[in-house]
Amino acid sequence: MKRILILLSVLLAASSLYAVDFDFVIGQKTGASLDFDNSQGNFKPSFNFNVDAELDMDFDEGHGMMVGINPYAENGQVKFGLSVGYAYRLEISRNTDFMFSVGPTLTFASTGVGFGVFVDANFDFILTDLVFIRVGTGVELYFGEFGSESFGRQDLSMLIPLPYIGVGFQF
């Protein structure tokens, strides 16, 4: 596990040297999730509230990558989410950008490492040269923990974040 974190850190540091623009966003990530238990056919809704941080790197003409960090507690257990994926920025107007990102999510917990994928769509409303407000939503699918017999079948859950609101800084 330490090797994976070190490798991701080195990859992030090496790729950030070639980035043209950086955006750092801190915001709330309130979500409504629907857990599906395939063995019994049950759906279990749940709601969560947590804070996350995201670093977006724009390499060339809107193409880049994003790295998200999301610590949270669930069922009395502290978990740590790490997302790394492709990001695309489209300038809509002088003061508004559209950000699309997609990629895998790893969830580290005391019980093991979980895996999922995410798709996010956000709008950045630029307030000054340095500060912007991010509003958006997306979909996250979690398949369960590696090594579990029910991986991708009984442990499947879908999280639809309620409108995400964050404060961002461009540098």
Side-chain angles (χ1 to χ4, degrees), residues 118-148:
F118 70 93
V119 176
D120 288 335
N122 300 299
F123 288 96
D124 293 345
F125 299 103
I126 301 166
L127 302 177
T128 69
D129 289 341
L130 298 175
V131 179
F132 63 92
I133 300 293
R134 177 167 287 175
V135 178
T137 189
V139 174
E140 299 175 13
L141 294 174
Y142 290 99
F143 300 104
E145 292 183 354
F146 289 114
S148 171

Side-chain angles (χ1 to χ4, degrees), residues 40-148:
Q40 299 176 5
N42 294 334
F43 290 101
K44 182 181 81 172
S46 63
F47 296 93
N48 58 19
F49 178 83
N50 51 22
V51 176
D52 75 336
E54 181 177 318
L55 177 67
D56 302 319
M57 294 169 275
D58 187 359
F59 298 119
D60 186 34
E61 298 180 10
H63 299 280
M65 69 181 287
M66 65 78 60
V67 177
I69 298 173
N70 184 10
Y72 63 98
E74 183 178 68
N75 298 329
Q77 184 178 185
V78 176
K79 296 184 178 184
F80 179 81
L82 176 66
S83 304
V84 178
Y86 170 77
Y88 180 72
R89 176 181 307 282
L90 177 65
E91 185 176 337
I92 295 176
S93 72
R94 204 178 90 223
N95 295 327
T96 307
D97 290 343
F98 175 74
M99 174 69 92
F100 171 79
S101 55
V102 61
T105 298
L106 296 174
T107 304
F108 300 94
S110 61
T111 58
V113 178
F115 177 75
V117 294
F118 70 93
V119 176
D120 288 335
N122 300 299
F123 288 96
D124 293 345
F125 299 103
I126 301 166
L127 302 177
T128 69
D129 289 341
L130 298 175
V131 179
F132 63 92
I133 300 293
R134 177 167 287 175
V135 178
T137 189
V139 174
E140 299 175 13
L141 294 174
Y142 290 99
F143 300 104
E145 292 183 354
F146 289 114
S148 171

